[in-house]
């Protein structure tokens, strides 16, 4: 592989530990997956006995229905227990035990790189728009933001972004999958187009990793940031940054690093003292995910989303802002003449369903994001809640 095509991994709150991995529930899930044999992911997506095993691996408050996993997801019990165990271990003598854990960070770096398709020497999610806005205020750079219709296509997005480029364009920053509607962008095509024009590409992949199948090396962008507390089910605050190898030396870290680290991806990890326990439990989260497999996760998320979307889409008042031909676990739906915050409040007040309101000038709706622990009963309750609202309208007190 040519050097300039290799990819490298920087961890944000990700790490490993020498403490023994708690494998009981992970092994049970792995056994259930092996028993599936050669069945396709789409076939397995509808196998409730298999997904019941997955659901039982979580300790949850089932008096609520959490359909806002796009914010952050609960970790499986084995991951949460590992996090607490590492926290206790670190607290016994932080200066010593935390150091033991942090010195083993390379284990999880290698495992993440292998799973998601890059070199362990190239791999961050932040408030991207506010970051650029601050750069504009401080350094007077020009930011051009592109709005797009919903739903839309990858071809349309490519055309919109290409059409916005001028001879002065230096950076093209876009999502892999948007957090608002689940729209997927044609990352590889955009990266190739930008590179041919000498433009740097930055991809916000907060909702992509462990959500649907892809390999980072195939996307060909320069920078890629993601969260791991969403679809990988790792502890809150974890994530990674991918940096193409030929960009590492050219990119300054936000906090000072020694000159000898100029070509080392680890220079971006100079963030001072941070919790080792959060980092350590990524190993368990990755093992749990691998016991299921990304293909099965993606197929199940698509199955759950289509279960409610296909039942509701025939109603002329229902507005689905996500293309159902490419949907996985993120979908945005609205009701004509009912503002998204009212729908969101109705879901919580009457049904104790957690969603989030998406209010945009071009469209509005609630974002619905189930996860692999979500049973069909909860999806059907959401469908019934939407049908209730469509038939009966808002309660008098909130209308």
């Amino acid at each position: 592989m040519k050097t300039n095509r290799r990819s490298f991994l920087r961890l944000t709150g990700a790490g490993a530990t020498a403490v023994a991995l708690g494998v009981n529930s992970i092994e049970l899930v792995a056994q259930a997956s092996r028993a599936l044999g050669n069945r396709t992911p789409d076939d397995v997506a509808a196998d409730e006995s298999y997904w019941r095993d997955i659901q039982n691996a979580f300790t949850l408050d089932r008096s609520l229905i959490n359909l806002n996993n796009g914010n952050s997801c609960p970790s499986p019990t084995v991951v949460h227990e590992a996090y607490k165990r590492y926290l206790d271990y670190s607290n016994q003598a932080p200066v010593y035990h935390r150091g033991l854990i942090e010195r083993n960070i390379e284990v999880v770096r290698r495992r993440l790189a292998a799973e998601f398709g890059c070199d362990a020497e190239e791999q961050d999610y932040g408030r991207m728009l506010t970051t650029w806005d601050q750069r504009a205020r401080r350094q007077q750079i020009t930011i051009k933001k592109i709005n797009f219709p919903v739903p839309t296509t990858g071809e349309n997005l490519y055309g919109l972004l290409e059409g916005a480029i001028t001879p002065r364009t230096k950076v093209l920053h876009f999502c892999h999958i948007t957090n608002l509607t689940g729209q997927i962008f044609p990352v590889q095509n955009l990266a190739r187009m930008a590179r041919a024009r000498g433009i740097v590409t930055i991809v916000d992949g907060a909702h992509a990793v462990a959500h649907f199948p892809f390999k980072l090396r195939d996307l060909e962008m320069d920078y890629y940031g993601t969260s791991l507390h969403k679809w990988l089910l790792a502890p809150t605050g974890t994530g990674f940054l991918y940096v193409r190898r030929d960009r590492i030396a050219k990119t300054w870290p936000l906090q000072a690093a020694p000159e000898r680290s100029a070509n080392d991806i680890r220079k971006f990890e100079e963030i001072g003292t941070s919790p080792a326990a959060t980092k350590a439990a990524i190993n368990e989260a990755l093992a749990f995910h691998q016991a299921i497999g990304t293909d099965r996760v993606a197929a199940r998320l698509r199955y759950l989303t289509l279960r409610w979307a296909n039942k509701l889409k025939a109603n002329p008042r229902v507005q689905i802002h996500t293309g159902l031909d490419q949907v996985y676990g993120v979908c945005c739906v609205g009701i004509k003449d009912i503002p998204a915050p009212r729908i969101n409040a109705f879901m919580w007040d009457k049904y104790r369903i957690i969603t989030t309101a998406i209010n945009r000038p071009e469209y509005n709706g609630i974002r619905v994001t189930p996860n692999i622990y979500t049973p069909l009963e909860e999806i059907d309750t959401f469908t019934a809640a939407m049908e209730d609202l469509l038939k009966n309208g808002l309660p008098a007190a909130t209308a």
Side-chain angles (χ1 to χ4, degrees), residues 315-322 332-337 364-365:
N315 190 307
R317 294 180 61 209
V318 171
Q319 300 171 314
I320 296 180
H321 303 303
T322 305
C332 184
V333 59
I335 297 176
K336 288 181 181 178
D337 304 322
N364 81 96

Side-chain angles (χ1 to χ4, degrees), residues 61-62 64-70 72-74 352-355 369-371 373-374 378:
D61 181 356
R62 290 293 184 185
L64 310 174
I65 297 178
N66 181 13
L67 296 181
N68 190 15
N69 289 279
S72 56
C73 301
R352 283 301 185 257
I353 297 174
I354 305 171
T355 58
T369 51
N371 211 309
Y373 66 81
T374 307
E378 294 185 352

Side-chain angles (χ1 to χ4, degrees), residues 66 153 172 241 267 281 295 375:
N66 181 13
T153 65
L172 187 62
L241 167 70
K267 71 181 182 180
D295 288 339

Side-chain angles (χ1 to χ4, degrees), residues 12-15 58 71-76 78-80 83 108 112 116 209-210 227-240 277-289 371:
T12 59
F58 291 79
N71 180 285
S72 56
C73 301
S75 293
V78 65
V79 177
H80 191 61
Y83 167 69
V108 77
L112 285 170
F116 301 117
V209 166
S227 299
L228 298 178
H229 58 251
K230 297 182 186 291
W231 306 101
L232 191 65
L233 311 173
T236 301
T238 53
F240 69 70
T278 309
K279 306 171 186 179
I282 286 184
N283 253 336
E284 281 80 0
L286 183 57
F288 186 87
H289 177 79
N371 211 309

Side-chain angles (χ1 to χ4, degrees), residues 196-269:
R197 292 163 169 79
I199 297 170
V200 171
T201 47
I202 302 174
V203 178
D204 175 354
H207 279 270
V209 166
H211 187 170
F212 52 88
F214 66 94
K215 295 298 183 184
L216 287 166
R217 67 172 64 91
D218 296 333
L219 301 181
E220 301 183 21
M221 67 276 133
D222 296 305
Y223 303 90
Y224 189 101
T226 191
S227 299
L228 298 178
H229 58 251
K230 297 182 186 291
W231 306 101
L232 191 65
L233 311 173
T236 301
T238 53
F240 69 70
L241 167 70
Y242 160 104
V243 181
R244 191 179 173 96
R245 183 187 280 271
D246 61 2
R247 302 297 312 180
I248 293 176
K250 304 172 185 177
T251 306
W252 289 93
L254 288 178
Q255 297 195 39
E259 185 177 4
R260 65 177 180 275
S261 301
N263 293 295
D264 191 339
I265 190 68
R266 294 157 189 81
K267 71 181 182 180
F268 301 111
E269 295 171 17

